[in-house]
Amino acid sequence: MSPSAIVYASATGFTRRYADLLAERTGLPCFALGAVPGPARGAAVLYLGWLCAGGIKGLRKARARYKVQAVCAVGMSPAGTAYTDQVRAQNHLENLPFFYLRGGYAPERLTGLYRPMMSLMSRMVSKASVEDEGARAMQEAFAKGGDWVSAEQLSPVLDALTE
Ligand SMILES: Cc1cc2nc3c(=O)[nH]c(=O)nc-3n(C[C@H](O)[C@H](O)[C@H](O)COP(=O)(O)O)c2cc1C
């Protein structure tokens, strides 16, 4: 895989941090989706988008505009094969290299409709049984916010870029 640029969509900054880290490590130029100037139409890109109700934000637009060679989804859920497989299927990414990166949760930086959507989700999660370890971790994340961005999570992405 040899993308000519990194393109990302980020609402509260976590995905942008991963995109910036990747740009730093690879030397590739990095653009917010829709930025002008951006990569040329049809350019081969690595795309990163934040997860919103299981969908990767901006992915459809990026696929219409560029040749997306690999995709990273950034969410607040703990990483795990089952979750990664679910997101991959929901976003029709069976034929592309796909990576899940745990980002963060910063409710104070949410704007518009995302704020009420997340407080609804937060209330739903707070009703889940605390016996379930995953639910407990999410309750804590919703209550306190969190930042799980780490350069280590990019290792598989960097490996795929050098293949
Ligand atoms: C409305 C909304 C829906 C979300 N849905 C999901 C989700 O389905 N799965 C997940 O792991 N995280 C979900 N999140 C959390 C974000 O994906 C997470 O905070 C991410 O790090 C945001 O990246 P950003 O800072 O680049 O915008 C959601 C956040 C919001 C505001």
Side-chain angles (χ1 to χ4, degrees), residues 109-139:
R109 295 205 293 262
L110 287 174
T111 55
L113 266 184
Y114 296 137
R115 221 173 241 265
M117 275 170 83
M118 277 315 252
S119 54
L120 187 74
M121 268 171 75
S122 172
R123 278 204 297 278
M124 277 159 61
V125 168
S126 72
K127 286 188 189 131
S129 160
V130 284
E131 304 292 307
D132 178 329
E133 202 184 310
R136 203 166 50 234
M138 286 303 273
Q139 281 172 1

PDB file of all heavy atoms in Angstrom, residues 109-139:
ATOM      1  N   ARG A 109     -16.316  19.136  24.337  1.00  0.00           N
ATOM      2  CA  ARG A 109     -15.973  19.641  23.002  1.00  0.00           C
ATOM      3  C   ARG A 109     -17.030  19.277  21.950  1.00  0.00           C
ATOM      4  O   ARG A 109     -16.878  19.609  20.785  1.00  0.00           O
ATOM      5  CB  ARG A 109     -14.600  19.077  22.572  1.00  0.00           C
ATOM      6  CG  ARG A 109     -13.449  19.566  23.455  1.00  0.00           C
ATOM      7  CD  ARG A 109     -12.109  19.542  22.719  1.00  0.00           C
ATOM      8  NE  ARG A 109     -11.635  18.214  22.406  1.00  0.00           N
ATOM      9  CZ  ARG A 109     -10.734  17.536  23.136  1.00  0.00           C
ATOM     10  NH1 ARG A 109     -10.219  18.069  24.218  1.00  0.00           N
ATOM     11  NH2 ARG A 109     -10.341  16.337  22.772  1.00  0.00           N
ATOM     12  N   LEU A 110     -18.088  18.562  22.372  1.00  0.00           N
ATOM     13  CA  LEU A 110     -19.132  18.187  21.411  1.00  0.00           C
ATOM     14  C   LEU A 110     -20.015  19.384  21.105  1.00  0.00           C
ATOM     15  O   LEU A 110     -20.318  20.182  21.986  1.00  0.00           O
ATOM     16  CB  LEU A 110     -20.007  17.068  21.978  1.00  0.00           C
ATOM     17  CG  LEU A 110     -19.382  15.684  22.050  1.00  0.00           C
ATOM     18  CD1 LEU A 110     -20.327  14.728  22.771  1.00  0.00           C
ATOM     19  CD2 LEU A 110     -19.061  15.164  20.656  1.00  0.00           C
ATOM     20  N   THR A 111     -20.447  19.461  19.857  1.00  0.00           N
ATOM     21  CA  THR A 111     -21.316  20.572  19.473  1.00  0.00           C
ATOM     22  C   THR A 111     -22.610  20.028  18.863  1.00  0.00           C
ATOM     23  O   THR A 111     -22.697  18.849  18.514  1.00  0.00           O
ATOM     24  CB  THR A 111     -20.623  21.475  18.426  1.00  0.00           C
ATOM     25  OG1 THR A 111     -20.234  20.636  17.336  1.00  0.00           O
ATOM     26  CG2 THR A 111     -19.414  22.183  18.999  1.00  0.00           C
ATOM     27  N   GLY A 112     -23.582  20.909  18.701  1.00  0.00           N
ATOM     28  CA  GLY A 112     -24.822  20.594  17.975  1.00  0.00           C
ATOM     29  C   GLY A 112     -25.546  19.384  18.526  1.00  0.00           C
ATOM     30  O   GLY A 112     -25.635  19.184  19.735  1.00  0.00           O
ATOM     31  N   LEU A 113     -26.037  18.583  17.593  1.00  0.00           N
ATOM     32  CA  LEU A 113     -26.871  17.426  17.952  1.00  0.00           C
ATOM     33  C   LEU A 113     -26.099  16.322  18.660  1.00  0.00           C
ATOM     34  O   LEU A 113     -26.688  15.466  19.301  1.00  0.00           O
ATOM     35  CB  LEU A 113     -27.456  16.823  16.670  1.00  0.00           C
ATOM     36  CG  LEU A 113     -28.836  17.296  16.245  1.00  0.00           C
ATOM     37  CD1 LEU A 113     -29.289  16.510  15.018  1.00  0.00           C
ATOM     38  CD2 LEU A 113     -29.847  17.093  17.386  1.00  0.00           C
ATOM     39  N   TYR A 114     -24.763  16.332  18.501  1.00  0.00           N
ATOM     40  CA  TYR A 114     -23.960  15.260  19.091  1.00  0.00           C
ATOM     41  C   TYR A 114     -24.070  15.248  20.613  1.00  0.00           C
ATOM     42  O   TYR A 114     -24.001  14.217  21.247  1.00  0.00           O
ATOM     43  CB  TYR A 114     -22.496  15.387  18.679  1.00  0.00           C
ATOM     44  CG  TYR A 114     -22.292  15.216  17.196  1.00  0.00           C
ATOM     45  CD1 TYR A 114     -21.447  16.054  16.482  1.00  0.00           C
ATOM     46  CD2 TYR A 114     -22.943  14.207  16.497  1.00  0.00           C
ATOM     47  CE1 TYR A 114     -21.273  15.896  15.120  1.00  0.00           C
ATOM     48  CE2 TYR A 114     -22.776  14.044  15.145  1.00  0.00           C
ATOM     49  CZ  TYR A 114     -21.939  14.896  14.455  1.00  0.00           C
ATOM     50  OH  TYR A 114     -21.766  14.730  13.111  1.00  0.00           O
ATOM     51  N   ARG A 115     -24.264  16.414  21.187  1.00  0.00           N
ATOM     52  CA  ARG A 115     -24.350  16.529  22.649  1.00  0.00           C
ATOM     53  C   ARG A 115     -25.573  15.760  23.194  1.00  0.00           C
ATOM     54  O   ARG A 115     -25.401  14.841  23.995  1.00  0.00           O
ATOM     55  CB  ARG A 115     -24.432  18.006  23.020  1.00  0.00           C
ATOM     56  CG  ARG A 115     -23.620  18.390  24.198  1.00  0.00           C
ATOM     57  CD  ARG A 115     -23.668  19.903  24.309  1.00  0.00           C
ATOM     58  NE  ARG A 115     -22.341  20.461  24.194  1.00  0.00           N
ATOM     59  CZ  ARG A 115     -21.583  20.749  25.251  1.00  0.00           C
ATOM     60  NH1 ARG A 115     -22.032  20.527  26.464  1.00  0.00           N
ATOM     61  NH2 ARG A 115     -20.383  21.245  25.092  1.00  0.00           N
ATOM     62  N   PRO A 116     -26.807  16.080  22.709  1.00  0.00           N
ATOM     63  CA  PRO A 116     -27.960  15.306  23.206  1.00  0.00           C
ATOM     64  C   PRO A 116     -27.885  13.828  22.838  1.00  0.00           C
ATOM     65  O   PRO A 116     -28.306  12.968  23.611  1.00  0.00           O
ATOM     66  CB  PRO A 116     -29.171  15.979  22.547  1.00  0.00           C
ATOM     67  CG  PRO A 116     -28.632  16.884  21.503  1.00  0.00           C
ATOM     68  CD  PRO A 116     -27.228  17.225  21.881  1.00  0.00           C
ATOM     69  N   MET A 117     -27.298  13.512  21.663  1.00  0.00           N
ATOM     70  CA  MET A 117     -27.180  12.093  21.278  1.00  0.00           C
ATOM     71  C   MET A 117     -26.332  11.341  22.303  1.00  0.00           C
ATOM     72  O   MET A 117     -26.649  10.235  22.721  1.00  0.00           O
ATOM     73  CB  MET A 117     -26.489  11.961  19.900  1.00  0.00           C
ATOM     74  CG  MET A 117     -27.434  12.104  18.719  1.00  0.00           C
ATOM     75  SD  MET A 117     -26.502  12.228  17.177  1.00  0.00           S
ATOM     76  CE  MET A 117     -26.185  10.504  16.820  1.00  0.00           C
ATOM     77  N   MET A 118     -25.241  11.977  22.698  1.00  0.00           N
ATOM     78  CA  MET A 118     -24.349  11.301  23.629  1.00  0.00           C
ATOM     79  C   MET A 118     -24.904  11.267  25.040  1.00  0.00           C
ATOM     80  O   MET A 118     -24.692  10.299  25.760  1.00  0.00           O
ATOM     81  CB  MET A 118     -22.957  11.949  23.629  1.00  0.00           C
ATOM     82  CG  MET A 118     -22.096  11.459  22.516  1.00  0.00           C
ATOM     83  SD  MET A 118     -22.134   9.671  22.291  1.00  0.00           S
ATOM     84  CE  MET A 118     -20.545   9.193  22.888  1.00  0.00           C
ATOM     85  N   SER A 119     -25.672  12.294  25.457  1.00  0.00           N
ATOM     86  CA  SER A 119     -26.201  12.197  26.820  1.00  0.00           C
ATOM     87  C   SER A 119     -27.260  11.093  26.880  1.00  0.00           C
ATOM     88  O   SER A 119     -27.395  10.405  27.890  1.00  0.00           O
ATOM     89  CB  SER A 119     -26.692  13.528  27.378  1.00  0.00           C
ATOM     90  OG  SER A 119     -27.596  14.101  26.518  1.00  0.00           O
ATOM     91  N   LEU A 120     -27.956  10.870  25.761  1.00  0.00           N
ATOM     92  CA  LEU A 120     -28.908   9.756  25.690  1.00  0.00           C
ATOM     93  C   LEU A 120     -28.157   8.427  25.822  1.00  0.00           C
ATOM     94  O   LEU A 120     -28.542   7.546  26.595  1.00  0.00           O
ATOM     95  CB  LEU A 120     -29.646   9.820  24.354  1.00  0.00           C
ATOM     96  CG  LEU A 120     -30.797   8.844  24.171  1.00  0.00           C
ATOM     97  CD1 LEU A 120     -31.996   9.292  24.996  1.00  0.00           C
ATOM     98  CD2 LEU A 120     -31.200   8.751  22.705  1.00  0.00           C
ATOM     99  N   MET A 121     -27.059   8.312  25.049  1.00  0.00           N
ATOM    100  CA  MET A 121     -26.273   7.073  25.112  1.00  0.00           C
ATOM    101  C   MET A 121     -25.701   6.865  26.513  1.00  0.00           C
ATOM    102  O   MET A 121     -25.661   5.767  27.030  1.00  0.00           O
ATOM    103  CB  MET A 121     -25.141   7.101  24.081  1.00  0.00           C
ATOM    104  CG  MET A 121     -25.560   6.472  22.766  1.00  0.00           C
ATOM    105  SD  MET A 121     -24.359   6.712  21.484  1.00  0.00           S
ATOM    106  CE  MET A 121     -23.088   5.558  21.944  1.00  0.00           C
ATOM    107  N   SER A 122     -25.250   7.961  27.099  1.00  0.00           N
ATOM    108  CA  SER A 122     -24.681   7.906  28.430  1.00  0.00           C
ATOM    109  C   SER A 122     -25.710   7.369  29.431  1.00  0.00           C
ATOM    110  O   SER A 122     -25.405   6.533  30.273  1.00  0.00           O
ATOM    111  CB  SER A 122     -24.220   9.312  28.806  1.00  0.00           C
ATOM    112  OG  SER A 122     -23.844   9.348  30.117  1.00  0.00           O
ATOM    113  N   ARG A 123     -26.969   7.854  29.297  1.00  0.00           N
ATOM    114  CA  ARG A 123     -28.035   7.379  30.197  1.00  0.00           C
ATOM    115  C   ARG A 123     -28.319   5.902  29.975  1.00  0.00           C
ATOM    116  O   ARG A 123     -28.517   5.144  30.915  1.00  0.00           O
ATOM    117  CB  ARG A 123     -29.314   8.198  29.987  1.00  0.00           C
ATOM    118  CG  ARG A 123     -29.302   9.521  30.748  1.00  0.00           C
ATOM    119  CD  ARG A 123     -30.709  10.023  31.010  1.00  0.00           C
ATOM    120  NE  ARG A 123     -31.434  10.312  29.777  1.00  0.00           N
ATOM    121  CZ  ARG A 123     -31.306  11.433  29.086  1.00  0.00           C
ATOM    122  NH1 ARG A 123     -30.487  12.368  29.491  1.00  0.00           N
ATOM    123  NH2 ARG A 123     -31.997  11.626  27.982  1.00  0.00           N
ATOM    124  N   MET A 124     -28.291   5.474  28.684  1.00  0.00           N
ATOM    125  CA  MET A 124     -28.529   4.060  28.385  1.00  0.00           C
ATOM    126  C   MET A 124     -27.436   3.188  28.989  1.00  0.00           C
ATOM    127  O   MET A 124     -27.693   2.158  29.594  1.00  0.00           O
ATOM    128  CB  MET A 124     -28.585   3.842  26.866  1.00  0.00           C
ATOM    129  CG  MET A 124     -29.939   4.156  26.265  1.00  0.00           C
ATOM    130  SD  MET A 124     -29.837   4.490  24.493  1.00  0.00           S
ATOM    131  CE  MET A 124     -29.193   2.939  23.899  1.00  0.00           C
ATOM    132  N   VAL A 125     -26.196   3.630  28.813  1.00  0.00           N
ATOM    133  CA  VAL A 125     -25.062   2.854  29.318  1.00  0.00           C
ATOM    134  C   VAL A 125     -25.102   2.789  30.846  1.00  0.00           C
ATOM    135  O   VAL A 125     -24.778   1.767  31.445  1.00  0.00           O
ATOM    136  CB  VAL A 125     -23.732   3.466  28.814  1.00  0.00           C
ATOM    137  CG1 VAL A 125     -22.534   2.887  29.542  1.00  0.00           C
ATOM    138  CG2 VAL A 125     -23.579   3.215  27.326  1.00  0.00           C
ATOM    139  N   SER A 126     -25.558   3.880  31.474  1.00  0.00           N
ATOM    140  CA  SER A 126     -25.556   3.889  32.940  1.00  0.00           C
ATOM    141  C   SER A 126     -26.576   2.900  33.508  1.00  0.00           C
ATOM    142  O   SER A 126     -26.499   2.512  34.662  1.00  0.00           O
ATOM    143  CB  SER A 126     -25.811   5.296  33.478  1.00  0.00           C
ATOM    144  OG  SER A 126     -27.147   5.643  33.256  1.00  0.00           O
ATOM    145  N   LYS A 127     -27.530   2.451  32.655  1.00  0.00           N
ATOM    146  CA  LYS A 127     -28.542   1.483  33.134  1.00  0.00           C
ATOM    147  C   LYS A 127     -28.082   0.038  32.953  1.00  0.00           C
ATOM    148  O   LYS A 127     -28.707  -0.874  33.460  1.00  0.00           O
ATOM    149  CB  LYS A 127     -29.854   1.691  32.369  1.00  0.00           C
ATOM    150  CG  LYS A 127     -30.562   2.952  32.831  1.00  0.00           C
ATOM    151  CD  LYS A 127     -31.954   3.047  32.221  1.00  0.00           C
ATOM    152  CE  LYS A 127     -32.563   4.401  32.515  1.00  0.00           C
ATOM    153  NZ  LYS A 127     -33.123   5.031  31.323  1.00  0.00           N
ATOM    154  N   ALA A 128     -26.979  -0.151  32.181  1.00  0.00           N
ATOM    155  CA  ALA A 128     -26.521  -1.526  31.929  1.00  0.00           C
ATOM    156  C   ALA A 128     -26.001  -2.151  33.217  1.00  0.00           C
ATOM    157  O   ALA A 128     -25.603  -1.452  34.153  1.00  0.00           O
ATOM    158  CB  ALA A 128     -25.421  -1.502  30.874  1.00  0.00           C
ATOM    159  N   SER A 129     -26.017  -3.483  33.242  1.00  0.00           N
ATOM    160  CA  SER A 129     -25.543  -4.191  34.429  1.00  0.00           C
ATOM    161  C   SER A 129     -24.053  -3.961  34.642  1.00  0.00           C
ATOM    162  O   SER A 129     -23.264  -4.049  33.712  1.00  0.00           O
ATOM    163  CB  SER A 129     -25.806  -5.687  34.242  1.00  0.00           C
ATOM    164  OG  SER A 129     -24.971  -6.414  35.105  1.00  0.00           O
ATOM    165  N   VAL A 130     -23.690  -3.658  35.884  1.00  0.00           N
ATOM    166  CA  VAL A 130     -22.273  -3.426  36.169  1.00  0.00           C
ATOM    167  C   VAL A 130     -21.506  -4.746  36.309  1.00  0.00           C
ATOM    168  O   VAL A 130     -20.306  -4.761  36.509  1.00  0.00           O
ATOM    169  CB  VAL A 130     -22.040  -2.547  37.425  1.00  0.00           C
ATOM    170  CG1 VAL A 130     -22.326  -1.105  37.115  1.00  0.00           C
ATOM    171  CG2 VAL A 130     -22.859  -3.031  38.592  1.00  0.00           C
ATOM    172  N   GLU A 131     -22.255  -5.867  36.197  1.00  0.00           N
ATOM    173  CA  GLU A 131     -21.608  -7.183  36.210  1.00  0.00           C
ATOM    174  C   GLU A 131     -20.754  -7.339  34.947  1.00  0.00           C
ATOM    175  O   GLU A 131     -19.754  -8.035  34.936  1.00  0.00           O
ATOM    176  CB  GLU A 131     -22.651  -8.318  36.198  1.00  0.00           C
ATOM    177  CG  GLU A 131     -23.663  -8.255  37.328  1.00  0.00           C
ATOM    178  CD  GLU A 131     -23.028  -8.512  38.670  1.00  0.00           C
ATOM    179  OE1 GLU A 131     -22.362  -9.550  38.792  1.00  0.00           O
ATOM    180  OE2 GLU A 131     -23.178  -7.666  39.570  1.00  0.00           O
ATOM    181  N   ASP A 132     -21.217  -6.691  33.884  1.00  0.00           N
ATOM    182  CA  ASP A 132     -20.544  -6.799  32.596  1.00  0.00           C
ATOM    183  C   ASP A 132     -19.338  -5.856  32.584  1.00  0.00           C
ATOM    184  O   ASP A 132     -19.479  -4.648  32.699  1.00  0.00           O
ATOM    185  CB  ASP A 132     -21.566  -6.407  31.506  1.00  0.00           C
ATOM    186  CG  ASP A 132     -20.980  -6.443  30.122  1.00  0.00           C
ATOM    187  OD1 ASP A 132     -19.770  -6.178  29.970  1.00  0.00           O
ATOM    188  OD2 ASP A 132     -21.735  -6.730  29.185  1.00  0.00           O
ATOM    189  N   GLU A 133     -18.150  -6.438  32.410  1.00  0.00           N
ATOM    190  CA  GLU A 133     -16.919  -5.643  32.522  1.00  0.00           C
ATOM    191  C   GLU A 133     -16.846  -4.540  31.461  1.00  0.00           C
ATOM    192  O   GLU A 133     -16.457  -3.404  31.739  1.00  0.00           O
ATOM    193  CB  GLU A 133     -15.716  -6.574  32.374  1.00  0.00           C
ATOM    194  CG  GLU A 133     -14.466  -5.986  32.993  1.00  0.00           C
ATOM    195  CD  GLU A 133     -13.276  -6.892  32.731  1.00  0.00           C
ATOM    196  OE1 GLU A 133     -13.395  -8.108  32.992  1.00  0.00           O
ATOM    197  OE2 GLU A 133     -12.264  -6.379  32.258  1.00  0.00           O
ATOM    198  N   GLY A 134     -17.271  -4.895  30.232  1.00  0.00           N
ATOM    199  CA  GLY A 134     -17.252  -3.914  29.134  1.00  0.00           C
ATOM    200  C   GLY A 134     -18.167  -2.747  29.446  1.00  0.00           C
ATOM    201  O   GLY A 134     -17.801  -1.584  29.261  1.00  0.00           O
ATOM    202  N   ALA A 135     -19.371  -3.068  29.953  1.00  0.00           N
ATOM    203  CA  ALA A 135     -20.341  -2.010  30.265  1.00  0.00           C
ATOM    204  C   ALA A 135     -19.805  -1.121  31.381  1.00  0.00           C
ATOM    205  O   ALA A 135     -19.977   0.099  31.346  1.00  0.00           O
ATOM    206  CB  ALA A 135     -21.673  -2.629  30.682  1.00  0.00           C
ATOM    207  N   ARG A 136     -19.130  -1.740  32.324  1.00  0.00           N
ATOM    208  CA  ARG A 136     -18.577  -0.962  33.444  1.00  0.00           C
ATOM    209  C   ARG A 136     -17.502   0.019  32.942  1.00  0.00           C
ATOM    210  O   ARG A 136     -17.468   1.181  33.331  1.00  0.00           O
ATOM    211  CB  ARG A 136     -17.998  -1.897  34.503  1.00  0.00           C
ATOM    212  CG  ARG A 136     -17.928  -1.241  35.858  1.00  0.00           C
ATOM    213  CD  ARG A 136     -17.682  -2.199  37.001  1.00  0.00           C
ATOM    214  NE  ARG A 136     -16.560  -3.083  36.756  1.00  0.00           N
ATOM    215  CZ  ARG A 136     -16.625  -4.412  36.832  1.00  0.00           C
ATOM    216  NH1 ARG A 136     -17.758  -4.995  37.127  1.00  0.00           N
ATOM    217  NH2 ARG A 136     -15.568  -5.149  36.605  1.00  0.00           N
ATOM    218  N   ALA A 137     -16.665  -0.467  32.052  1.00  0.00           N
ATOM    219  CA  ALA A 137     -15.611   0.400  31.492  1.00  0.00           C
ATOM    220  C   ALA A 137     -16.231   1.566  30.727  1.00  0.00           C
ATOM    221  O   ALA A 137     -15.768   2.711  30.821  1.00  0.00           O
ATOM    222  CB  ALA A 137     -14.707  -0.416  30.579  1.00  0.00           C
ATOM    223  N   MET A 138     -17.316   1.276  29.993  1.00  0.00           N
ATOM    224  CA  MET A 138     -17.968   2.344  29.222  1.00  0.00           C
ATOM    225  C   MET A 138     -18.664   3.339  30.153  1.00  0.00           C
ATOM    226  O   MET A 138     -18.641   4.541  29.912  1.00  0.00           O
ATOM    227  CB  MET A 138     -18.977   1.744  28.234  1.00  0.00           C
ATOM    228  CG  MET A 138     -18.331   1.071  27.048  1.00  0.00           C
ATOM    229  SD  MET A 138     -17.245   2.169  26.100  1.00  0.00           S
ATOM    230  CE  MET A 138     -18.407   2.895  24.979  1.00  0.00           C
ATOM    231  N   GLN A 139     -19.256   2.834  31.230  1.00  0.00           N
ATOM    232  CA  GLN A 139     -19.902   3.740  32.195  1.00  0.00           C
ATOM    233  C   GLN A 139     -18.884   4.716  32.754  1.00  0.00           C
ATOM    234  O   GLN A 139     -19.133   5.909  32.891  1.00  0.00           O
ATOM    235  CB  GLN A 139     -20.524   2.944  33.348  1.00  0.00           C
ATOM    236  CG  GLN A 139     -21.847   2.314  32.981  1.00  0.00           C
ATOM    237  CD  GLN A 139     -22.367   1.375  34.058  1.00  0.00           C
ATOM    238  OE1 GLN A 139     -21.747   1.201  35.095  1.00  0.00           O
ATOM    239  NE2 GLN A 139     -23.490   0.757  33.796  1.00  0.00           N
TER     240      GLN A 139
END
